[in-house]
Amino acid sequence: AHNNHPTVKPTDLMRYLCRLITPKNGTVLDPFLGSGSTGKAAILEGFSFIGIEISEDYMKIAEKRINHAITKQ
């Protein structure tokens, strides 16, 4: 898959940050979803996730990445 977002974050870093600040059974909110790194990480860590993105192109990328993480569960 093609990801042309300029600031893709490492999944392992975002997983660590999700664990660090999210309570057990919590929900991660990312108001600037971008390519979905935080959403992907939240799902892989077992958290609920809400993401907001203004760009339709980036939203499509994020949706694919997050859905892929869901199928890995």
Side-chain angles (χ1 to χ4, degrees), residues 11-24 28 41-42 44-47:
T11 301
D12 288 342
L13 171 63
M14 300 316 292
R15 287 180 77 159
Y16 167 74
L17 293 174
C18 286
R19 287 191 311 269
L20 183 68
I21 64 168
T22 309
K24 186 176 181 177
V28 175
L44 291 173
E45 289 300 322
F47 296 114

mmCIF file with all atom_site columns, all heavy atoms in Angstrom, residues 11-24 28 41-42 44-47:
data_model
loop_
_atom_site.group_PDB
_atom_site.id
_atom_site.type_symbol
_atom_site.label_atom_id
_atom_site.label_alt_id
_atom_site.label_comp_id
_atom_site.label_asym_id
_atom_site.label_entity_id
_atom_site.label_seq_id
_atom_site.pdbx_PDB_ins_code
_atom_site.Cartn_x
_atom_site.Cartn_y
_atom_site.Cartn_z
_atom_site.occupancy
_atom_site.B_iso_or_equiv
_atom_site.pdbx_formal_charge
_atom_site.auth_seq_id
_atom_site.auth_comp_id
_atom_site.auth_asym_id
_atom_site.auth_atom_id
_atom_site.pdbx_PDB_model_num
ATOM 1   N N   . THR A 1 11 ? 5.023  2.564  14.521 1.00 0.00 ? 11 THR A N   1
ATOM 2   C CA  . THR A 1 11 ? 3.953  1.870  15.241 1.00 0.00 ? 11 THR A CA  1
ATOM 3   C C   . THR A 1 11 ? 4.388  1.487  16.648 1.00 0.00 ? 11 THR A C   1
ATOM 4   O O   . THR A 1 11 ? 3.617  1.648  17.600 1.00 0.00 ? 11 THR A O   1
ATOM 5   C CB  . THR A 1 11 ? 3.504  0.628  14.459 1.00 0.00 ? 11 THR A CB  1
ATOM 6   O OG1 . THR A 1 11 ? 3.036  1.032  13.175 1.00 0.00 ? 11 THR A OG1 1
ATOM 7   C CG2 . THR A 1 11 ? 2.390  -0.110 15.181 1.00 0.00 ? 11 THR A CG2 1
ATOM 8   N N   . ASP A 1 12 ? 5.608  0.992  16.816 1.00 0.00 ? 12 ASP A N   1
ATOM 9   C CA  . ASP A 1 12 ? 6.061  0.586  18.150 1.00 0.00 ? 12 ASP A CA  1
ATOM 10  C C   . ASP A 1 12 ? 6.077  1.763  19.123 1.00 0.00 ? 12 ASP A C   1
ATOM 11  O O   . ASP A 1 12 ? 5.716  1.604  20.293 1.00 0.00 ? 12 ASP A O   1
ATOM 12  C CB  . ASP A 1 12 ? 7.440  -0.059 18.086 1.00 0.00 ? 12 ASP A CB  1
ATOM 13  C CG  . ASP A 1 12 ? 7.411  -1.446 17.466 1.00 0.00 ? 12 ASP A CG  1
ATOM 14  O OD1 . ASP A 1 12 ? 6.308  -2.045 17.398 1.00 0.00 ? 12 ASP A OD1 1
ATOM 15  O OD2 . ASP A 1 12 ? 8.478  -1.928 17.052 1.00 0.00 ? 12 ASP A OD2 1
ATOM 16  N N   . LEU A 1 13 ? 6.491  2.927  18.663 1.00 0.00 ? 13 LEU A N   1
ATOM 17  C CA  . LEU A 1 13 ? 6.474  4.124  19.510 1.00 0.00 ? 13 LEU A CA  1
ATOM 18  C C   . LEU A 1 13 ? 5.051  4.485  19.904 1.00 0.00 ? 13 LEU A C   1
ATOM 19  O O   . LEU A 1 13 ? 4.762  4.755  21.075 1.00 0.00 ? 13 LEU A O   1
ATOM 20  C CB  . LEU A 1 13 ? 7.136  5.306  18.791 1.00 0.00 ? 13 LEU A CB  1
ATOM 21  C CG  . LEU A 1 13 ? 6.996  6.660  19.491 1.00 0.00 ? 13 LEU A CG  1
ATOM 22  C CD1 . LEU A 1 13 ? 7.677  6.637  20.854 1.00 0.00 ? 13 LEU A CD1 1
ATOM 23  C CD2 . LEU A 1 13 ? 7.549  7.773  18.604 1.00 0.00 ? 13 LEU A CD2 1
ATOM 24  N N   . MET A 1 14 ? 4.143  4.469  18.942 1.00 0.00 ? 14 MET A N   1
ATOM 25  C CA  . MET A 1 14 ? 2.753  4.830  19.234 1.00 0.00 ? 14 MET A CA  1
ATOM 26  C C   . MET A 1 14 ? 2.087  3.790  20.137 1.00 0.00 ? 14 MET A C   1
ATOM 27  O O   . MET A 1 14 ? 1.263  4.147  20.984 1.00 0.00 ? 14 MET A O   1
ATOM 28  C CB  . MET A 1 14 ? 1.975  5.027  17.931 1.00 0.00 ? 14 MET A CB  1
ATOM 29  C CG  . MET A 1 14 ? 2.548  6.132  17.035 1.00 0.00 ? 14 MET A CG  1
ATOM 30  S SD  . MET A 1 14 ? 3.004  7.644  17.912 1.00 0.00 ? 14 MET A SD  1
ATOM 31  C CE  . MET A 1 14 ? 1.402  8.235  18.405 1.00 0.00 ? 14 MET A CE  1
ATOM 32  N N   . ARG A 1 15 ? 2.451  2.534  19.998 1.00 0.00 ? 15 ARG A N   1
ATOM 33  C CA  . ARG A 1 15 ? 1.922  1.494  20.900 1.00 0.00 ? 15 ARG A CA  1
ATOM 34  C C   . ARG A 1 15 ? 2.361  1.785  22.330 1.00 0.00 ? 15 ARG A C   1
ATOM 35  O O   . ARG A 1 15 ? 1.566  1.697  23.271 1.00 0.00 ? 15 ARG A O   1
ATOM 36  C CB  . ARG A 1 15 ? 2.401  0.109  20.476 1.00 0.00 ? 15 ARG A CB  1
ATOM 37  C CG  . ARG A 1 15 ? 1.726  -0.405 19.212 1.00 0.00 ? 15 ARG A CG  1
ATOM 38  C CD  . ARG A 1 15 ? 2.221  -1.768 18.816 1.00 0.00 ? 15 ARG A CD  1
ATOM 39  N NE  . ARG A 1 15 ? 1.597  -2.772 19.692 1.00 0.00 ? 15 ARG A NE  1
ATOM 40  C CZ  . ARG A 1 15 ? 1.500  -4.049 19.370 1.00 0.00 ? 15 ARG A CZ  1
ATOM 41  N NH1 . ARG A 1 15 ? 1.986  -4.510 18.229 1.00 0.00 ? 15 ARG A NH1 1
ATOM 42  N NH2 . ARG A 1 15 ? 0.920  -4.899 20.202 1.00 0.00 ? 15 ARG A NH2 1
ATOM 43  N N   . TYR A 1 16 ? 3.636  2.121  22.502 1.00 0.00 ? 16 TYR A N   1
ATOM 44  C CA  . TYR A 1 16 ? 4.161  2.454  23.828 1.00 0.00 ? 16 TYR A CA  1
ATOM 45  C C   . TYR A 1 16 ? 3.422  3.655  24.417 1.00 0.00 ? 16 TYR A C   1
ATOM 46  O O   . TYR A 1 16 ? 3.000  3.632  25.579 1.00 0.00 ? 16 TYR A O   1
ATOM 47  C CB  . TYR A 1 16 ? 5.663  2.739  23.744 1.00 0.00 ? 16 TYR A CB  1
ATOM 48  C CG  . TYR A 1 16 ? 6.209  3.379  24.986 1.00 0.00 ? 16 TYR A CG  1
ATOM 49  C CD1 . TYR A 1 16 ? 6.392  2.635  26.152 1.00 0.00 ? 16 TYR A CD1 1
ATOM 50  C CD2 . TYR A 1 16 ? 6.524  4.733  25.015 1.00 0.00 ? 16 TYR A CD2 1
ATOM 51  C CE1 . TYR A 1 16 ? 6.880  3.222  27.304 1.00 0.00 ? 16 TYR A CE1 1
ATOM 52  C CE2 . TYR A 1 16 ? 7.006  5.336  26.165 1.00 0.00 ? 16 TYR A CE2 1
ATOM 53  C CZ  . TYR A 1 16 ? 7.179  4.573  27.310 1.00 0.00 ? 16 TYR A CZ  1
ATOM 54  O OH  . TYR A 1 16 ? 7.653  5.171  28.453 1.00 0.00 ? 16 TYR A OH  1
ATOM 55  N N   . LEU A 1 17 ? 3.227  4.690  23.621 1.00 0.00 ? 17 LEU A N   1
ATOM 56  C CA  . LEU A 1 17 ? 2.543  5.896  24.110 1.00 0.00 ? 17 LEU A CA  1
ATOM 57  C C   . LEU A 1 17 ? 1.086  5.612  24.451 1.00 0.00 ? 17 LEU A C   1
ATOM 58  O O   . LEU A 1 17 ? 0.570  6.136  25.448 1.00 0.00 ? 17 LEU A O   1
ATOM 59  C CB  . LEU A 1 17 ? 2.659  7.016  23.082 1.00 0.00 ? 17 LEU A CB  1
ATOM 60  C CG  . LEU A 1 17 ? 4.077  7.556  22.873 1.00 0.00 ? 17 LEU A CG  1
ATOM 61  C CD1 . LEU A 1 17 ? 4.100  8.554  21.724 1.00 0.00 ? 17 LEU A CD1 1
ATOM 62  C CD2 . LEU A 1 17 ? 4.622  8.169  24.143 1.00 0.00 ? 17 LEU A CD2 1
ATOM 63  N N   . CYS A 1 18 ? 0.426  4.785  23.667 1.00 0.00 ? 18 CYS A N   1
ATOM 64  C CA  . CYS A 1 18 ? -0.957 4.403  23.991 1.00 0.00 ? 18 CYS A CA  1
ATOM 65  C C   . CYS A 1 18 ? -1.008 3.694  25.335 1.00 0.00 ? 18 CYS A C   1
ATOM 66  O O   . CYS A 1 18 ? -1.867 3.997  26.178 1.00 0.00 ? 18 CYS A O   1
ATOM 67  C CB  . CYS A 1 18 ? -1.543 3.509  22.896 1.00 0.00 ? 18 CYS A CB  1
ATOM 68  S SG  . CYS A 1 18 ? -1.985 4.366  21.376 1.00 0.00 ? 18 CYS A SG  1
ATOM 69  N N   . ARG A 1 19 ? -0.108 2.753  25.548 1.00 0.00 ? 19 ARG A N   1
ATOM 70  C CA  . ARG A 1 19 ? -0.070 2.024  26.826 1.00 0.00 ? 19 ARG A CA  1
ATOM 71  C C   . ARG A 1 19 ? 0.251  2.959  27.982 1.00 0.00 ? 19 ARG A C   1
ATOM 72  O O   . ARG A 1 19 ? -0.283 2.809  29.082 1.00 0.00 ? 19 ARG A O   1
ATOM 73  C CB  . ARG A 1 19 ? 0.985  0.907  26.794 1.00 0.00 ? 19 ARG A CB  1
ATOM 74  C CG  . ARG A 1 19 ? 0.629  -0.283 25.959 1.00 0.00 ? 19 ARG A CG  1
ATOM 75  C CD  . ARG A 1 19 ? 1.586  -1.456 26.192 1.00 0.00 ? 19 ARG A CD  1
ATOM 76  N NE  . ARG A 1 19 ? 2.996  -1.110 26.139 1.00 0.00 ? 19 ARG A NE  1
ATOM 77  C CZ  . ARG A 1 19 ? 3.750  -1.150 25.039 1.00 0.00 ? 19 ARG A CZ  1
ATOM 78  N NH1 . ARG A 1 19 ? 3.221  -1.510 23.879 1.00 0.00 ? 19 ARG A NH1 1
ATOM 79  N NH2 . ARG A 1 19 ? 5.029  -0.843 25.096 1.00 0.00 ? 19 ARG A NH2 1
ATOM 80  N N   . LEU A 1 20 ? 1.134  3.916  27.736 1.00 0.00 ? 20 LEU A N   1
ATOM 81  C CA  . LEU A 1 20 ? 1.597  4.832  28.775 1.00 0.00 ? 20 LEU A CA  1
ATOM 82  C C   . LEU A 1 20 ? 0.488  5.726  29.312 1.00 0.00 ? 20 LEU A C   1
ATOM 83  O O   . LEU A 1 20 ? 0.411  5.971  30.519 1.00 0.00 ? 20 LEU A O   1
ATOM 84  C CB  . LEU A 1 20 ? 2.749  5.693  28.215 1.00 0.00 ? 20 LEU A CB  1
ATOM 85  C CG  . LEU A 1 20 ? 3.409  6.673  29.177 1.00 0.00 ? 20 LEU A CG  1
ATOM 86  C CD1 . LEU A 1 20 ? 4.183  5.911  30.246 1.00 0.00 ? 20 LEU A CD1 1
ATOM 87  C CD2 . LEU A 1 20 ? 4.349  7.591  28.394 1.00 0.00 ? 20 LEU A CD2 1
ATOM 88  N N   . ILE A 1 21 ? -0.381 6.209  28.434 1.00 0.00 ? 21 ILE A N   1
ATOM 89  C CA  . ILE A 1 21 ? -1.355 7.221  28.864 1.00 0.00 ? 21 ILE A CA  1
ATOM 90  C C   . ILE A 1 21 ? -2.811 6.775  28.874 1.00 0.00 ? 21 ILE A C   1
ATOM 91  O O   . ILE A 1 21 ? -3.663 7.502  29.370 1.00 0.00 ? 21 ILE A O   1
ATOM 92  C CB  . ILE A 1 21 ? -1.244 8.488  27.997 1.00 0.00 ? 21 ILE A CB  1
ATOM 93  C CG1 . ILE A 1 21 ? -1.607 8.182  26.547 1.00 0.00 ? 21 ILE A CG1 1
ATOM 94  C CG2 . ILE A 1 21 ? 0.147  9.093  28.079 1.00 0.00 ? 21 ILE A CG2 1
ATOM 95  C CD1 . ILE A 1 21 ? -1.804 9.408  25.701 1.00 0.00 ? 21 ILE A CD1 1
ATOM 96  N N   . THR A 1 22 ? -3.107 5.575  28.375 1.00 0.00 ? 22 THR A N   1
ATOM 97  C CA  . THR A 1 22 ? -4.498 5.154  28.270 1.00 0.00 ? 22 THR A CA  1
ATOM 98  C C   . THR A 1 22 ? -4.828 4.158  29.373 1.00 0.00 ? 22 THR A C   1
ATOM 99  O O   . THR A 1 22 ? -4.141 3.146  29.517 1.00 0.00 ? 22 THR A O   1
ATOM 100 C CB  . THR A 1 22 ? -4.771 4.511  26.898 1.00 0.00 ? 22 THR A CB  1
ATOM 101 O OG1 . THR A 1 22 ? -4.292 5.391  25.877 1.00 0.00 ? 22 THR A OG1 1
ATOM 102 C CG2 . THR A 1 22 ? -6.254 4.261  26.691 1.00 0.00 ? 22 THR A CG2 1
ATOM 103 N N   . PRO A 1 23 ? -5.883 4.427  30.148 1.00 0.00 ? 23 PRO A N   1
ATOM 104 C CA  . PRO A 1 23 ? -6.259 3.470  31.193 1.00 0.00 ? 23 PRO A CA  1
ATOM 105 C C   . PRO A 1 23 ? -6.784 2.165  30.605 1.00 0.00 ? 23 PRO A C   1
ATOM 106 O O   . PRO A 1 23 ? -7.224 2.123  29.450 1.00 0.00 ? 23 PRO A O   1
ATOM 107 C CB  . PRO A 1 23 ? -7.356 4.195  31.978 1.00 0.00 ? 23 PRO A CB  1
ATOM 108 C CG  . PRO A 1 23 ? -7.857 5.260  31.085 1.00 0.00 ? 23 PRO A CG  1
ATOM 109 C CD  . PRO A 1 23 ? -6.762 5.585  30.117 1.00 0.00 ? 23 PRO A CD  1
ATOM 110 N N   . LYS A 1 24 ? -6.757 1.117  31.411 1.00 0.00 ? 24 LYS A N   1
ATOM 111 C CA  . LYS A 1 24 ? -7.270 -0.183 30.990 1.00 0.00 ? 24 LYS A CA  1
ATOM 112 C C   . LYS A 1 24 ? -8.701 -0.009 30.478 1.00 0.00 ? 24 LYS A C   1
ATOM 113 O O   . LYS A 1 24 ? -9.502 0.704  31.086 1.00 0.00 ? 24 LYS A O   1
ATOM 114 C CB  . LYS A 1 24 ? -7.243 -1.158 32.154 1.00 0.00 ? 24 LYS A CB  1
ATOM 115 C CG  . LYS A 1 24 ? -7.628 -2.556 31.780 1.00 0.00 ? 24 LYS A CG  1
ATOM 116 C CD  . LYS A 1 24 ? -7.491 -3.498 32.951 1.00 0.00 ? 24 LYS A CD  1
ATOM 117 C CE  . LYS A 1 24 ? -7.873 -4.901 32.501 1.00 0.00 ? 24 LYS A CE  1
ATOM 118 N NZ  . LYS A 1 24 ? -7.695 -5.867 33.571 1.00 0.00 ? 24 LYS A NZ  1
ATOM 119 N N   . VAL A 1 28 ? -8.635 5.711  22.938 1.00 0.00 ? 28 VAL A N   1
ATOM 120 C CA  . VAL A 1 28 ? -7.632 6.647  22.438 1.00 0.00 ? 28 VAL A CA  1
ATOM 121 C C   . VAL A 1 28 ? -8.313 7.573  21.437 1.00 0.00 ? 28 VAL A C   1
ATOM 122 O O   . VAL A 1 28 ? -8.999 7.108  20.530 1.00 0.00 ? 28 VAL A O   1
ATOM 123 C CB  . VAL A 1 28 ? -6.459 5.897  21.768 1.00 0.00 ? 28 VAL A CB  1
ATOM 124 C CG1 . VAL A 1 28 ? -5.478 6.863  21.142 1.00 0.00 ? 28 VAL A CG1 1
ATOM 125 C CG2 . VAL A 1 28 ? -5.773 4.973  22.768 1.00 0.00 ? 28 VAL A CG2 1
ATOM 126 N N   . ALA A 1 41 ? -1.916 1.558  16.327 1.00 0.00 ? 41 ALA A N   1
ATOM 127 C CA  . ALA A 1 41 ? -1.283 1.196  17.589 1.00 0.00 ? 41 ALA A CA  1
ATOM 128 C C   . ALA A 1 41 ? -2.319 0.919  18.669 1.00 0.00 ? 41 ALA A C   1
ATOM 129 O O   . ALA A 1 41 ? -2.198 -0.053 19.428 1.00 0.00 ? 41 ALA A O   1
ATOM 130 C CB  . ALA A 1 41 ? -0.338 2.306  18.037 1.00 0.00 ? 41 ALA A CB  1
ATOM 131 N N   . ALA A 1 42 ? -3.341 1.758  18.747 1.00 0.00 ? 42 ALA A N   1
ATOM 132 C CA  . ALA A 1 42 ? -4.385 1.581  19.759 1.00 0.00 ? 42 ALA A CA  1
ATOM 133 C C   . ALA A 1 42 ? -5.082 0.238  19.581 1.00 0.00 ? 42 ALA A C   1
ATOM 134 O O   . ALA A 1 42 ? -5.303 -0.495 20.553 1.00 0.00 ? 42 ALA A O   1
ATOM 135 C CB  . ALA A 1 42 ? -5.392 2.721  19.684 1.00 0.00 ? 42 ALA A CB  1
ATOM 136 N N   . LEU A 1 44 ? -3.923 -2.462 18.065 1.00 0.00 ? 44 LEU A N   1
ATOM 137 C CA  . LEU A 1 44 ? -2.999 -3.549 18.373 1.00 0.00 ? 44 LEU A CA  1
ATOM 138 C C   . LEU A 1 44 ? -2.807 -3.730 19.874 1.00 0.00 ? 44 LEU A C   1
ATOM 139 O O   . LEU A 1 44 ? -2.500 -4.827 20.335 1.00 0.00 ? 44 LEU A O   1
ATOM 140 C CB  . LEU A 1 44 ? -1.649 -3.311 17.679 1.00 0.00 ? 44 LEU A CB  1
ATOM 141 C CG  . LEU A 1 44 ? -1.669 -3.426 16.163 1.00 0.00 ? 44 LEU A CG  1
ATOM 142 C CD1 . LEU A 1 44 ? -0.330 -3.001 15.574 1.00 0.00 ? 44 LEU A CD1 1
ATOM 143 C CD2 . LEU A 1 44 ? -2.024 -4.841 15.726 1.00 0.00 ? 44 LEU A CD2 1
ATOM 144 N N   . GLU A 1 45 ? -2.994 -2.653 20.643 1.00 0.00 ? 45 GLU A N   1
ATOM 145 C CA  . GLU A 1 45 ? -2.874 -2.731 22.105 1.00 0.00 ? 45 GLU A CA  1
ATOM 146 C C   . GLU A 1 45 ? -4.192 -3.074 22.787 1.00 0.00 ? 45 GLU A C   1
ATOM 147 O O   . GLU A 1 45 ? -4.260 -3.174 24.008 1.00 0.00 ? 45 GLU A O   1
ATOM 148 C CB  . GLU A 1 45 ? -2.321 -1.414 22.661 1.00 0.00 ? 45 GLU A CB  1
ATOM 149 C CG  . GLU A 1 45 ? -0.865 -1.185 22.341 1.00 0.00 ? 45 GLU A CG  1
ATOM 150 C CD  . GLU A 1 45 ? 0.050  -2.269 22.900 1.00 0.00 ? 45 GLU A CD  1
ATOM 151 O OE1 . GLU A 1 45 ? -0.192 -2.750 24.023 1.00 0.00 ? 45 GLU A OE1 1
ATOM 152 O OE2 . GLU A 1 45 ? 1.018  -2.639 22.206 1.00 0.00 ? 45 GLU A OE2 1
ATOM 153 N N   . GLY A 1 46 ? -5.265 -3.231 22.013 1.00 0.00 ? 46 GLY A N   1
ATOM 154 C CA  . GLY A 1 46 ? -6.544 -3.634 22.579 1.00 0.00 ? 46 GLY A CA  1
ATOM 155 C C   . GLY A 1 46 ? -7.424 -2.497 23.072 1.00 0.00 ? 46 GLY A C   1
ATOM 156 O O   . GLY A 1 46 ? -8.397 -2.735 23.787 1.00 0.00 ? 46 GLY A O   1
ATOM 157 N N   . PHE A 1 47 ? -7.106 -1.273 22.700 1.00 0.00 ? 47 PHE A N   1
ATOM 158 C CA  . PHE A 1 47 ? -7.910 -0.117 23.101 1.00 0.00 ? 47 PHE A CA  1
ATOM 159 C C   . PHE A 1 47 ? -8.966 0.196  22.046 1.00 0.00 ? 47 PHE A C   1
ATOM 160 O O   . PHE A 1 47 ? -8.806 -0.127 20.868 1.00 0.00 ? 47 PHE A O   1
ATOM 161 C CB  . PHE A 1 47 ? -7.036 1.130  23.277 1.00 0.00 ? 47 PHE A CB  1
ATOM 162 C CG  . PHE A 1 47 ? -6.028 1.014  24.386 1.00 0.00 ? 47 PHE A CG  1
ATOM 163 C CD1 . PHE A 1 47 ? -4.676 1.000  24.109 1.00 0.00 ? 47 PHE A CD1 1
ATOM 164 C CD2 . PHE A 1 47 ? -6.434 0.916  25.708 1.00 0.00 ? 47 PHE A CD2 1
ATOM 165 C CE1 . PHE A 1 47 ? -3.740 0.901  25.114 1.00 0.00 ? 47 PHE A CE1 1
ATOM 166 C CE2 . PHE A 1 47 ? -5.509 0.812  26.733 1.00 0.00 ? 47 PHE A CE2 1
ATOM 167 C CZ  . PHE A 1 47 ? -4.148 0.804  26.438 1.00 0.00 ? 47 PHE A CZ  1
#
